[in-house]
Amino acid sequence: LKLHTSFTRTQLSLPPLRPPTYIFYNMASVVGGKGSFMLAAPDKEYKMAKFEIGRPAPGPEDVAIDIVYCGMCHSDLHTINGDWGNDKYPLAPGHEIAGVVRAVGEKAASKFKVGDHVSVGCMVLSCMACGMCDQGYEQHCFKGTCFTYGATFPEGMGHDDCHGTPTQGGYSTDMTVHQRFAFKVPEGMPLEVAGPLCCAGITTYSPLARHVKGKKDQHVGVVGFGGLGMMAVKIATAMGAKVTVFSRSTAKKAEAKGLGADLVATSDPAAVAAMAGSIDTILDTISDNHDIAQLISTLKPVVGTLVLLGAVAKPHALPSISLLFTSTRVEGSLIGGCDLTQEMLQFCSDHKIQPELEVIAAKEAEAALRKLHVGAAGAKRFVIQMDTLNELTFCGQLTASFRCIFGGKGKTAKRERE
């Protein structure tokens, strides 16, 4: 998920968050627990340190997973630096998780077995009973979706040994998660690929499955050609669509052509005007404010849809007259439900779709975060090989502000500086 680095709920005209809105589950740490390790940010800077925590034992519907790889996403930046309101530290981000099942609850045994390759994405629980969940839209759960990191584990959710601790993500050695939110990695798919697909893959696959898959003669536009845009091109092409990339310049034209796509520079008004009324669906991956009126002009009347995948601080200026006279649509899209995520993994396996990635050691994660922060990573996904966390020794020092990580409420965990 890509969001602008400085938006506030007030700027977006959203109501204030209320504590009951979200439920957080199973990615938390056990109060007083030990035996697991995480690579976490001690504060809003990107200085990463190794911490010891405890994970809950799997309940009847849970699976315990030894994490092998975890991809790095721009969402990790926004959560670490407080852009999204996080104030719980140390924080281990990471929602592009892939690993091996270590233990299975009795009710999860029909779906998973020890040794299975699995992945986990941006959410780890929903109510699983409301209309949205019943229809496979767990990310839009009426009673609250549980996202993978950056929240406080509540009381009364079946793992009260985790009550009061922050949920911690995939920059860690292991995790416990409800079986519904763990996905089987298709046979032959490299584990390092599976995690990023559960973020960038499902974010782009979801709207394409909704608007493009199974239809003939589709023309898809992709705005932005970074990691998310490149995944959109690969998936749309595999669905048989003609694809046009919209980029600020023609610098990436050869790269787009290599993936079977055309490229139009948005800085060239004549080139954009030549596309008028020709595109069925546009996926807009840009998270900075930009002119969407020129994009809407390229949509086919009546059937054309612009799908926004990035949030921006300043609301877009909608060309209402153009929308009225063409009956085109603008919509948002947030990841995808559990069944669709499993479908996406199989689709990507069948079509040999993989993100561009680089596997790194845990000690390189801080530098990778800083590259993401300044936009120097390009379309490449950094993926941490989590067993390299063993190479790190404890560094930094916990203070009174770091509570409920190793000890109970009000207690402070202490360790020596390296």
Side-chain angles (χ1 to χ4, degrees), residues 49 61 67 80 211 233 287 319:
E61 299 221 40
I67 299 173
I80 289 173
H211 294 295
V233 170
S287 58

Side-chain angles (χ1 to χ4, degrees), residues 27-30 33-43 47-56 67 70 80 86 88-94 97 148-151 165-175 361-363 365-366 369 384-396 398 401-407 413 415:
M27 290 297 289
S29 53
V30 177
K34 293 186 177 182
S36 299
F37 295 90
M38 66 180 186
L39 184 66
D43 52 35
K47 293 185 178 296
M48 306 301 286
K50 180 179 178 180
F51 292 80
E52 184 173 15
I53 58 172
R55 293 294 202 188
I67 299 173
C70 186
I80 289 173
N86 175 66
K88 302 174 183 69
Y89 299 96
L91 171 75
I97 301 160
T148 307
Y149 59 82
T165 66
T167 54
Q168 303 290 356
Y171 292 15
S172 53
T173 54
D174 59 278
M175 57 171 281
K363 65 182 180 182
E366 181 179 325
L369 283 168
I384 305 170
Q385 184 173 328
M386 292 314 307
D387 64 2
T388 62
L389 191 55
N390 297 329
E391 300 170 3
L392 302 183
T393 54
F394 290 133
C395 57
L398 294 178
S401 64
F402 299 120
R403 299 182 185 278
C404 297
I405 303 298
F406 303 100
R415 55 191 174 87

Side-chain angles (χ1 to χ4, degrees), residues 324-341:
L324 287 170
F325 278 85
T326 60
S327 295
T328 47
R329 296 180 294 276
V330 178
E331 68 179 37
S333 187
L334 177 69
I335 52 173
C338 295
D339 287 346
L340 194 67
T341 301

Side-chain angles (χ1 to χ4, degrees), residues 137 139-140 203-212 215 280-286 292 296 299 302-311 316 318 323 328-335:
Y137 298 112
Q139 75 274 29
H140 300 306
T203 296
T204 51
Y205 183 86
S206 180
L208 289 171
R210 196 159 58 241
H211 294 295
V212 178
K215 298 179 181 179
D280 297 278
T281 304
I282 297 176
L283 268 58
D284 189 341
T285 72
I286 304 299
I292 65 170
I296 291 172
L299 290 171
V302 182
V303 298
T305 303
L306 171 63
V307 184
L308 301 176
L309 301 180
H316 289 298
L318 284 176
L323 291 171
T328 47
R329 296 180 294 276
V330 178
E331 68 179 37
S333 187
L334 177 69
I335 52 173

Side-chain angles (χ1 to χ4, degrees), residues 197-237:
L197 287 178
C198 287
C199 180
I202 188 58
T203 296
T204 51
Y205 183 86
S206 180
L208 289 171
R210 196 159 58 241
H211 294 295
V212 178
K213 189 179 180 185
K215 298 179 181 179
K216 294 181 179 180
D217 303 321
Q218 293 294 295
H219 187 179
V220 173
V222 176
V223 187
F225 200 46
L228 207 56
M230 190 171 287
M231 283 302 305
V233 170
K234 291 179 178 180
I235 292 173
T237 301

Side-chain angles (χ1 to χ4, degrees), residues 66-411:
D66 287 328
I67 299 173
V68 181
Y69 296 103
C70 186
M72 306 179 75
C73 176
H74 275 85
S75 299
D76 303 346
L77 298 177
H78 301 308
T79 308
I80 289 173
N81 65 26
D83 287 338
W84 291 358
N86 175 66
D87 60 358
K88 302 174 183 69
Y89 299 96
L91 171 75
H95 55 209
E96 301 182 359
I97 301 160
V100 179
V101 174
R102 185 183 70 249
V104 181
E106 58 184 60
K107 292 184 179 180
S110 61
K111 182 177 179 182
F112 295 104
K113 65 181 184 299
V114 173
D116 281 350
H117 286 190
V118 295
S119 57
V120 176
C122 303
M123 53 183 176
V124 288
L125 196 73
S126 67
C127 79
M128 299 180 286
C130 71
M132 287 290 96
C133 291
D134 284 346
Q135 295 178 67
Y137 298 112
E138 292 89 347
Q139 75 274 29
H140 300 306
C141 175
F142 285 140
K143 295 184 179 180
T145 303
C146 165
F147 297 103
T148 307
Y149 59 82
T152 301
F153 192 85
E155 191 172 9
M157 294 300 296
H159 284 282
D160 284 345
D161 51 352
C162 300
H163 173 53
T165 66
T167 54
Q168 303 290 356
Y171 292 15
S172 53
T173 54
D174 59 278
M175 57 171 281
T176 303
V177 66
H178 190 282
Q179 61 167 326
R180 183 164 175 163
F181 298 87
F183 309 107
K184 291 185 177 180
V185 176
E187 185 176 354
M189 176 178 284
L191 264 181
E192 63 269 28
V193 167
L197 287 178
C198 287
C199 180
I202 188 58
T203 296
T204 51
Y205 183 86
S206 180
L208 289 171
R210 196 159 58 241
H211 294 295
V212 178
K213 189 179 180 185
K215 298 179 181 179
K216 294 181 179 180
D217 303 321
Q218 293 294 295
H219 187 179
V220 173
V222 176
V223 187
F225 200 46
L228 207 56
M230 190 171 287
M231 283 302 305
V233 170
K234 291 179 178 180
I235 292 173
T237 301
M239 289 181 176
K242 175 184 177 181
V243 181
T244 298
V245 173
F246 290 94
S247 190
R248 287 175 293 184
S249 72
T250 58
K252 297 181 179 180
K253 191 166 187 175
E255 194 173 4
K257 185 177 180 181
L259 295 178
D262 297 324
L263 185 144
V264 170
T266 55
S267 57
D268 184 348
V272 176
M275 302 293 295
S278 66
I279 299 180
D280 297 278
T281 304
I282 297 176
L283 268 58
D284 189 341
T285 72
I286 304 299
S287 58
D288 292 321
N289 195 261
H290 55 287
D291 180 14
I292 65 170
Q294 66 171 178
L295 299 174
I296 291 172
S297 72
T298 69
L299 290 171
K300 291 180 179 178
V302 182
V303 298
T305 303
L306 171 63
V307 184
L308 301 176
L309 301 180
V312 298
K314 183 181 178 181
H316 289 298
L318 284 176
S320 57
I321 298 298
S322 176
L323 291 171
L324 287 170
F325 278 85
T326 60
S327 295
T328 47
R329 296 180 294 276
V330 178
E331 68 179 37
S333 187
L334 177 69
I335 52 173
C338 295
D339 287 346
L340 194 67
T341 301
Q342 188 66 66
E343 177 187 303
M344 174 276 303
L345 287 170
Q346 190 60 55
F347 181 91
C348 289
S349 177
D350 292 343
H351 294 273
K352 302 191 183 318
I353 296 172
Q354 299 183 4
E356 304 300 313
L357 59 84
E358 177 184 343
V359 177
I360 63 172
K363 65 182 180 182
E364 301 173 280
E366 181 179 325
L369 283 168
R370 296 188 185 281
K371 287 182 180 179
L372 288 172
H373 181 75
V374 299
K380 181 169 55 181
R381 217 74 172 182
F382 292 112
V383 178
I384 305 170
Q385 184 173 328
M386 292 314 307
D387 64 2
T388 62
L389 191 55
N390 297 329
E391 300 170 3
L392 302 183
T393 54
F394 290 133
C395 57
Q397 185 175 4
L398 294 178
T399 67
S401 64
F402 299 120
R403 299 182 185 278
C404 297
I405 303 298
F406 303 100
K409 285 187 174 181
K411 296 181 181 180

